[in-house]
Amino acid sequence: MMNTNKASSKTRLAIMETAGRIFAQEGYSRATVREICREAGVNIAAINYHFGDKKGLYLAVLKHYQEIVFQTYPPDFGIRKTQKPEEKLQIYIQSFLKRIMDDGRPAWFGKLLTREYTQPSWAFDVLVKETIQPSFQLLTEIVAEIAGKSVKERIVRLCAMSIVGQCLYFRHSHPVISRLFPGEFFGPKQIEELTEHITRLSLQGLPKDKTKNSRR
């Protein structure tokens, strides 16, 4: 029984790895179960047994590799409530950069997520609800804590979006950056540098709480 379970688990992982690569290359709509089965060396019955159908397979791929990311970079970014809000922001930015620039994941996973962001499939709503929304909510709470109560909710939200935008720029614009500045790459040392840069720029750009100024 144990050997059977191991074989079943191995088959499941092999299918997800193959499917993820093909989904990343072709997109959800163009990728076919037939092509995935051929590349993985399994029959369609294996897809039905492990995932139910193509939708189940796609969702399993997204969730499985997202869980792997969370093992290294927890959803709460390792932030403690007792820390100063400025420290929370720096930790958030550092963890966010490491999460999106981590080359330890399968090479196709970043491409698959980028495709979801730019060409959303039916699964994007699930991704937003379970992953993106909680992460963004945490950031808005940190920004609100720094900005103060007098700053409007919409301004806080726009500031949070701008912080995320800075991080994503360095991830998605690397092909441009590497051509403008040959040899530029983002290893651990560079990520630390980016963390300090984005944190400093963000803190300087955040609106000031008028009620704090009036008390001085």
Side-chain angles (χ1 to χ4, degrees):
M1 178 66 73
M2 186 174 295
N3 289 335
T4 302
N5 290 338
K6 283 185 177 180
S8 179
S9 178
K10 187 176 180 180
T11 299
R12 179 183 170 85
L13 288 173
I15 293 172
M16 285 196 289
E17 172 66 27
T18 301
R21 178 170 47 80
I22 293 174
F23 282 136
Q25 292 173 348
E26 306 293 338
Y28 175 78
S29 298
R30 292 182 58 186
T32 66
V33 171
R34 187 178 299 276
E35 180 183 10
I36 292 169
C37 289
R38 183 175 66 251
E39 291 290 328
V42 300
N43 55 39
I44 294 178
I47 302 291
N48 296 334
Y49 174 77
H50 289 285
F51 308 100
D53 54 18
K54 180 181 173 182
K55 280 189 173 183
L57 172 59
Y58 188 68
L59 195 58
V61 168
L62 286 175
K63 287 190 173 185
H64 175 72
Y65 286 98
Q66 194 70 65
E67 287 173 3
I68 291 177
V69 172
F70 284 161
Q71 288 174 8
T72 307
Y73 310 111
D76 63 359
F77 294 83
I79 293 172
R80 301 191 305 274
K81 291 183 179 181
T82 56
Q83 291 174 311
K84 294 180 180 179
E86 293 79 8
E87 292 176 337
K88 293 178 183 179
L89 180 62
Q90 182 166 352
I91 293 171
Y92 183 99
I93 291 171
Q94 182 184 56
S95 298
F96 190 85
L97 286 170
K98 287 181 176 180
R99 182 184 291 182
I100 63 176
M101 292 181 174
D102 184 2
D103 292 327
R105 297 170 295 176
W108 51 260
F109 188 62
K111 186 177 181 180
L112 179 60
L113 287 182
T114 300
R115 185 182 286 277
E116 272 296 328
Y117 292 146
T118 57
Q119 303 172 36
S121 72
W122 59 271
F124 192 62
D125 287 338
V126 177
L127 194 63
V128 169
K129 182 178 180 180
E130 296 185 359
T131 304
I132 300 175
Q133 188 173 3
S135 173
F136 189 76
Q137 179 61 34
L138 174 60
L139 178 57
T140 56
E141 290 172 2
I142 294 171
V143 171
E145 193 177 357
I146 295 171
K149 295 180 180 179
S150 69
V151 180
K152 294 182 179 179
E153 183 180 345
R154 175 165 175 75
I155 300 301
V156 169
R157 190 186 309 141
L158 289 174
C159 290
M161 290 179 183
S162 295
I163 292 170
V164 171
Q166 291 179 79
C167 296
L168 292 178
Y169 171 80
F170 290 100
R171 172 65 177 85
H172 298 314
S173 297
H174 189 258
V176 175
I177 294 172
S178 63
R179 284 165 177 77
L180 290 174
F181 309 101
E184 184 73 54
F185 72 101
F186 299 118
K189 183 178 179 180
Q190 288 74 23
I191 289 176
E192 292 294 333
E193 181 184 36
L194 284 179
T195 297
E196 293 181 8
H197 168 72
I198 295 174
T199 302
R200 182 174 62 252
L201 204 63
S202 299
L203 288 173
Q204 290 175 350
L206 287 176
K208 307 303 179 184
D209 190 338
K210 295 179 182 179
T211 60
K212 289 182 180 179
N213 293 332
S214 64
R215 293 194 211 98
R216 292 178 180 177

